[in-house]
Amino acid sequence: MSAQPTEHGGGRFGLPPMDTVQELRAALRAGHGFPGDAERLDGELAAQLLRRVPVDRVVDVDELGTVVDLATVAEILAAYRGRVLLAADPDAVDAVDRAVADLLTRQAAE
């Protein structure tokens, strides 16, 4: 099995590549995505990467210390890549704006 190139940016909507954690962080810090995403990504990754194994489950992992759930880390990264792509897509932004306006109109009518 060979590694295949991914479509995490790198030209789509004029976005920088987002194939690594550092590239994704750089894209968020450059203002891509939504306000506060860069800080939230760092916080979510830190929370996951610093998660400790409860003492009563150490036997299950054969080692005391930090256990990283890589599937969860991958999900976090995929979610933030998706947010960058969503924020860069004018059609998606328009759809979200319309949905929010409709929701606010309904709430005001109640």
Side-chain angles (χ1 to χ4, degrees):
M1 177 185 251
S2 63
Q4 300 296 317
T6 56
E7 296 272 339
H8 293 141
R12 188 170 180 198
F13 302 117
L15 294 171
M18 295 181 287
D19 295 320
T20 67
V21 175
Q22 291 306 322
E23 288 174 346
L24 177 57
R25 290 179 77 231
L28 291 170
R29 295 213 181 288
H32 300 288
F34 295 98
D37 276 355
E39 295 78 16
R40 279 192 294 277
L41 171 65
D42 287 346
E44 288 184 38
L45 287 177
Q48 183 58 39
L49 295 173
L50 297 176
R51 190 175 62 85
R52 297 283 177 187
V53 176
V55 173
D56 61 341
R57 292 187 50 213
V58 171
V59 174
D60 297 338
V61 295
D62 299 326
E63 171 179 331
L64 182 61
T66 302
V67 174
V68 177
D69 181 351
L70 294 178
T72 300
V73 171
E75 289 171 3
I76 292 168
L77 297 173
Y80 280 91
R81 282 186 193 105
R83 291 176 63 81
V84 170
L85 291 170
L86 179 67
D89 184 346
D91 293 334
V93 171
D94 288 345
V96 169
D97 287 345
R98 283 192 304 274
V100 169
D102 289 347
L103 179 63
L104 292 174
T105 300
R106 279 189 242 151
Q107 285 179 340
E110 292 178 356

